[in-house]
Amino acid sequence: RAESAAALSPALDVGLEARMKDAAASLSVAAISGTGEDAVRAWNRTAEVTAHDRSKDQRARVDRLTMAARLACWLAAPRPSPTQTMAESAAHYAGESGFADRARHALQAGDRIPEVAAAYATLREIAAIRREEDNRVFAGVVQAWNAGGTWGTDPLPVERILDLIVVPLARSVPVLVLVLDGLSFATWRALAESLPRLGWSEYCPKGRTAPPTAIAVLPSVTAVSRTSLLCGTITRGDQTTERKGFAEHPGLVGVSAAGSPPVLFHKADLGPGPELPATLREKIATPGQRVVGVVHN
């Protein structure tokens, strides 16, 4: 009759489950109250789960629980004043709201313990309300920004990425431009967590603490926004338009060697994978090939 003390066990699986239930109860309270005190309590209960001997055997579930605790802390944090400029709005989303969306999406998987799954559902529902409020403010800022016509470079209009990001890099080193079509900011945050383990490093321009944020062309559909990105000017077209615009982009051509113009590969050119096709590998490996573009859906 020691079930009530199961959470005290640092070794038994039943102890881990009991601690997760305790954390879920605290998370539900924190989500509804929105107070810092309850959020801290939920974070501490989550830390007890992480400290359990069996937590490494349930890494995905424990990571999801930690994400839930972070989301509870985000909901309890004081809300900043509504952003007024496009630069402020983009920076706010890239530095904060995008992580909240990452957490909300992570919690969609739920958990096999009903109490934990219910706590996640509550957190997601309340966080969605907060994010939709932010989205309405952002929509108004975007409307005014577009109407103003003086866009500047913060955030960076997507059609200026080749000129302002890729061309300066290509003057110094060969560049692979990888376009992940349809990738949300929240999904990018999930992918970015694995990149350091794969040997990738993040760089940003001097004077900045984070890479610049870009904004899509409206409407943000492939035929307009992606084509404008790859052609370096606002336009509409298809893959043929993109290949031609990329190969003839003045800035990219200017940094390319004679006989090795910029070249763009689309999804159909990549084959079923996972290996890259020989034509793409050869282009990347060619010393004189300064710029290679790859579009992956």
Side-chain angles (χ1 to χ4, degrees), residues 80-97 134 137-138 141-142 145 153-155 208 213:
S81 301
T83 55
Q84 300 296 323
T85 68
M86 192 63 194
E88 292 173 345
S89 297
H92 179 71
Y93 186 77
E96 181 175 319
S97 299
D134 292 343
V137 173
F138 182 73
V141 173
V142 172
W145 184 74
T153 58
D154 190 11
R208 297 184 62 103
T213 302

Side-chain angles (χ1 to χ4, degrees), residues 142-230:
V142 172
Q143 184 181 34
W145 184 74
N146 263 323
T150 54
W151 302 322
T153 58
D154 190 11
L156 186 64
V158 72
E159 71 275 12
R160 303 192 66 189
I161 288 177
L162 294 183
D163 277 319
L164 299 183
I165 301 293
V166 179
V167 171
L169 286 172
R171 291 194 184 103
S172 302
V173 293
V175 176
L176 172 65
V177 181
L178 177 59
V179 179
L180 302 180
D181 192 353
L183 179 70
S184 70
F185 213 107
T187 303
W188 160 246
R189 288 300 184 192
L191 284 176
E193 293 171 6
S194 66
L195 294 183
R197 296 195 299 271
L198 300 175
W200 294 66
S201 298
E202 185 176 75
Y203 286 82
C204 62
K206 290 182 179 179
R208 297 184 62 103
T209 57
T213 302
I215 185 166
V217 176
L218 298 178
S220 55
V221 295
T222 297
V224 178
S225 192
R226 195 184 80 184
T227 303
S228 297
L229 161 66
L230 293 169

Side-chain angles (χ1 to χ4, degrees), residues 1 52 80 92 106 113 135 138 159 165 216 251 256-259:
R1 296 185 295 276
H52 195 277
H92 179 71
I113 300 176
N135 286 341
F138 182 73
E159 71 275 12
I165 301 293
S256 298

Side-chain angles (χ1 to χ4, degrees), residues 51-62:
H52 195 277
D53 288 355
R54 300 276 76 80
S55 64
K56 293 181 180 179
D57 299 335
Q58 303 288 337
R59 177 58 61 84
R61 296 176 68 206
V62 174

Side-chain angles (χ1 to χ4, degrees), residues 18 31 39 50-51 79 111 122 146 161 182 186 193 212 216 218 240 245 249 251 289:
T50 305
R79 299 196 64 177
D111 194 84
T122 300
N146 263 323
I161 288 177
E193 293 171 6
L218 298 178
T240 300
H249 183 275
Q289 186 66 48

Side-chain angles (χ1 to χ4, degrees), residues 46-134:
T46 301
E48 292 172 0
V49 175
T50 305
H52 195 277
D53 288 355
R54 300 276 76 80
S55 64
K56 293 181 180 179
D57 299 335
Q58 303 288 337
R59 177 58 61 84
R61 296 176 68 206
V62 174
D63 285 349
R64 201 154 47 241
L65 185 70
T66 303
M67 198 75 72
R70 290 175 178 164
L71 191 59
C73 291
W74 177 75
L75 287 170
R79 299 196 64 177
S81 301
T83 55
Q84 300 296 323
T85 68
M86 192 63 194
E88 292 173 345
S89 297
H92 179 71
Y93 186 77
E96 181 175 319
S97 299
F99 287 100
D101 284 346
R102 159 81 175 100
R104 289 196 302 128
H105 296 171
L107 300 188
Q108 287 179 337
D111 194 84
R112 67 188 184 214
I113 300 176
E115 294 90 338
V116 177
Y120 291 171
T122 300
L123 272 169
R124 289 181 55 238
E125 180 180 355
I126 294 175
I129 295 173
R130 168 80 66 86
R131 284 292 301 114
E132 284 305 309
E133 292 172 355
D134 292 343

